[in-house]
Amino acid sequence: MNTLEIEGDWNIIKGKLRQRWAMLTDDDLAILEGKQDELLGRIQRRTGQTREAVEEAIDEYRAALAMPTRV
C-alpha cells in the first residue's frame, strides 16, 4: 500500500467517524500517523464513549475498507 492509498483510507475513516460522532472536529481528527493513542483519547473525550467502543468503530471501518467490493 502506498502513501496515497493510506491517505485515502484515512480520509474515508475520518468521514465515517464524523458521521458516527458529529461533534468531532477536523482538528480532532488531524492526528498524524503514530499518534493513535492521542486520537483515541480525543474521540473519547469528545464523545464520552469508552476506549473499547472507539477502537471497535475504527476496526469496523478498517475491516470494511479491506473487503473487496463487488461491481
Side-chain angles (χ1 to χ4, degrees):
M1 191 175 262
N2 65 37
T3 304
L4 188 55
E5 290 172 320
I6 292 169
E7 288 176 11
D9 287 351
W10 176 238
N11 287 332
I12 293 168
I13 291 171
K14 285 192 311 186
K16 297 289 186 184
L17 291 171
R18 292 283 307 268
Q19 286 175 7
R20 185 167 184 159
W21 295 302
M23 73 283 291
L24 293 175
T25 66
D26 288 335
D27 287 341
D28 292 325
L29 298 172
I31 304 301
L32 298 175
E33 184 180 347
K35 294 188 178 182
Q36 295 150 353
D37 286 335
E38 185 177 347
L39 173 61
L40 291 172
R42 282 183 183 223
I43 293 173
Q44 281 182 267
R45 190 170 49 245
R46 284 285 201 171
T47 66
Q49 298 287 311
T50 65
R51 180 181 181 96
E52 292 79 19
V54 174
E55 287 175 336
E56 183 178 307
I58 291 171
D59 288 343
E60 287 173 13
Y61 299 138
R62 283 182 178 161
L65 289 173
M67 294 176 62
T69 57
R70 291 187 180 181
V71 178

